[in-house]
Amino acid sequence: MIVTVTLNPAVDQTIKMNTGLQSGSVQRSTEAQFTSGGNGVNVSQFLQALGSETVATGLIGGFTGYFIENDLATYDVSTDFVWVEGVTRINTTILTPRNEYQLNQTGPTVDSDVIDELIEIISQHDPDTLNIGGSLLPGMDAADVDRIATAGDWDTAVEVPGEVLSELDADYAYCKPNREELEAATGHEIDSVTDCVDAAKTLQERGFECVIASMGSEGAVMVTPEETLYAPALDVEVVDTLGAGDSMLAAVLWAREQGWDAERALRAGVVASAQLVGVMGSSVRELDPEPRLDEVRIWALDG
Ligand SMILES: O=P(O)(O)OC[C@@]1(O)O[C@H](CO)[C@@H](O)[C@@H]1O
């Protein structure tokens, strides 16, 4: 069973415009929606959509906290959050005909005592795999992530900002940085698949057993102790990219849970993220990568 931990969840507000943004005048949207978000929350929702057993935990508060719990219930996602003082943030994605803007709030400040409560809850669910995803709240640091990761007998997958990734000390089973996070965590500039592989290997040497690095429309690299794989992205119509990386991680964890090998797991991740970029926002009720696995091309880059 996979438990996800989102330290800084969000209500994702997605606003669609039929013009570019201009200052000095009121502009009106053509479409808008609110969904529950934050990397771990999304991973739980995608795991549920894939048919995997999951519980979403983390720190929530205020009216937006209630929204997240209720929204996840409508997707049949089990939740067990720690309630904190303050109000969970609202993050805004604005889609204009040419651009995608992402405005993320910082989130409320918390006392790091909440970590004890969180660890207690995680332990009660006895996960095989724990996914810790997203940014940290003010008042927390990378040592809190290490503490959660090492508090029990579970494999941990992290999908955290690059500056947090660079400060982690524990050993992790998985990490899933995007290009920006990989650059920030390693200091490598990534202009090619080769750069991406080099940076992913640098991370692996620091204690991340399997590194899944997503590069948007250029695809993804997976580095395991046994192999280095590259898969280009599928050629699909992109509505927005929110949650695409989370769906890739969810599908890889789901595939590994079923005993699939690394290559098949990477195929599943690439198909899931292709489905996600085709929908507005980061919510889907069903994910079924299997019928499209053969569409993904895979390069084994070295032994
Ligand atoms: O501010 P963070 O925690 O780094 O990222 C949070 C976030 O932008 O990432 C998810 C998509 O991956 C969204 O659901 C959410 O709003």
Side-chain angles (χ1 to χ4, degrees), residues 194-213:
T194 310
D195 293 343
C196 184
V197 168
D198 289 347
K201 287 189 171 175
T202 301
L203 272 191
Q204 194 185 44
E205 281 159 20
R206 291 191 202 157
F208 301 93
E209 196 178 334
C210 173
V211 180
I212 307 136

Side-chain angles (χ1 to χ4, degrees), residues 251 254-265 268 289-290 293:
W254 164 79
R256 296 301 262 175
E257 196 179 40
Q258 300 186 96
W260 291 11
D261 63 16
E263 183 184 316
R264 209 149 179 247
E290 240 174 316
L293 292 181

